[in-house]
Amino acid sequence: DTEVTQTPKHLVMGMTNKKSLKCEQHMGHRAMYWYKQKAKKPPELMFVYSYEKLSINESVPSRFSPECPNSSLLNLHLHALQPEDSALYLCASSPTPDREYGYTFGSGTRLTVV
Amino acid sequence: RKEVEQDPGPFNVPEGATVAFNCTYSNSASQSFFWYRQDCRKEPKLLMSVYSSGNEDGRFTAQLNRASQYISLLIRDSKLSDSATYLCVVNEMNTGFQKLVFGTGTRLLVSP
């Protein structure tokens, strides 16, 4: 299995809703990442998890809450989002956090906040 | 100054043309570099890594000039299927953790 699987592929949520994005990989990778990509912009790093621990938070608002329950799974919990949070949310993984490998990206969750 | 800069394009070329993309990066401590390809509404996919000695993969050639902090991608014999956005990506080690930083991307349109 050489894939990163993200669910759901599409999500529409209201500003008062609570939802979660899920990311899963079975490649034995020990680093996992959340990126946010707005239309016509490059992906921007949100969080880095290293060996199931949060290592980097790029000053992301608290309405985004990441969680790494185990080495294969990464969640992003969403609460009280704003319409400007609508974007493509990409999960990625790499074998280790401390050596410079490329990432494997999931196909993303396209989020619309209404 | 942006960490990774690219000409956004679009580059409009006919099939069979040769096209070159350039990229500059600001962090001189960066150690590894990549070109990713992203199709419309899809995730980025690794096209190739970039090495100082230059590397080639079929019709694609990547070059790195560390002194000038400059990366290039050359596509020969362009195909319609090459139409996409090409992202220059720099891997920065941030307090011991790697972090991919993306350029804004260069859009390529190959026409018949």
Side-chain angles (χ1 to χ4, degrees):
Chain A
D1 187 349
T2 57
E3 289 187 345
V4 174
T5 302
Q6 288 188 245
T7 54
K9 293 201 180 302
H10 301 275
L11 178 62
V12 180
M13 61 184 290
M15 290 187 284
T16 58
N17 291 160
K18 286 185 181 181
K19 296 286 184 183
S20 296
L21 310 185
K22 179 179 172 181
C23 173
E24 199 163 3
Q25 56 87 15
H26 296 287
M27 295 178 281
H29 288 180
R30 303 311 301 274
M32 296 185 77
Y33 311 85
W34 281 113
Y35 276 78
K36 173 181 177 178
Q37 186 174 24
K38 301 278 284 182
K40 300 187 187 301
K41 299 288 187 182
E44 292 183 345
L45 182 66
M46 299 175 72
F47 303 104
V48 176
Y49 268 83
S50 165
Y51 298 97
E52 296 95 70
K53 292 186 179 178
L54 182 63
S55 303
I56 297 177
N57 176 340
E58 294 281 277
S59 303
V60 178
S62 60
R63 58 186 184 270
F64 295 91
S65 175
E67 178 198 18
C68 190
N70 59 59
S71 60
S72 300
L73 190 56
L74 185 66
N75 298 320
L76 185 62
H77 302 297
L78 314 172
H79 173 56
L81 294 193
Q82 303 297 310
E84 58 265 28
D85 296 321
S86 298
L88 179 67
Y89 288 84
L90 293 160
C91 175
S93 70
S94 66
T96 63
D98 54 351
R99 295 191 64 185
E100 298 189 64
Y101 298 103
Y103 294 5
T104 300
F105 278 91
S107 57
T109 294
R110 191 161 298 279
L111 174 68
T112 303
V113 181
V114 297
Chain B
R1 182 183 173 187
K2 292 180 183 175
E3 292 177 86
V4 182
E5 292 204 55
Q6 294 180 253
D7 180 344
F11 283 53
N12 290 284
V13 302
E15 272 187 290
T18 295
V19 61
F21 304 140
N22 303 319
C23 167
T24 57
Y25 61 95
S26 61
N27 187 342
S28 59
S30 299
Q31 293 297 315
S32 55
F33 310 89
F34 308 92
W35 283 101
Y36 275 72
R37 169 193 170 131
Q38 187 169 26
D39 293 284
C40 187
R41 301 180 71 80
K42 299 285 189 182
E43 76 275 22
K45 292 189 177 177
L46 179 64
L47 181 65
M48 58 198 305
S49 302
V50 188
Y51 306 114
S52 295
S53 54
N55 49 301
E56 187 173 312
D57 182 1
R59 298 181 293 108
F60 299 84
T61 301
Q63 292 276 355
L64 166 65
N65 184 321
R66 287 187 186 272
S68 302
Q69 295 180 208
Y70 171 94
I71 304 162
S72 66
L73 176 68
L74 184 75
I75 305 176
R76 291 180 298 278
D77 189 23
S78 298
K79 311 291 184 191
L80 295 176
S81 57
D82 293 334
S83 296
T85 296
Y86 291 83
L87 297 159
C88 176
V89 185
V90 173
N91 198 340
E92 297 184 354
M93 291 300 288
N94 181 334
T95 62
F97 303 103
Q98 65 165 325
K99 168 184 166 182
L100 287 189
V101 179
F102 287 79
T104 50
T106 298
R107 191 164 173 223
L108 173 65
L109 300 171
V110 181
S111 54

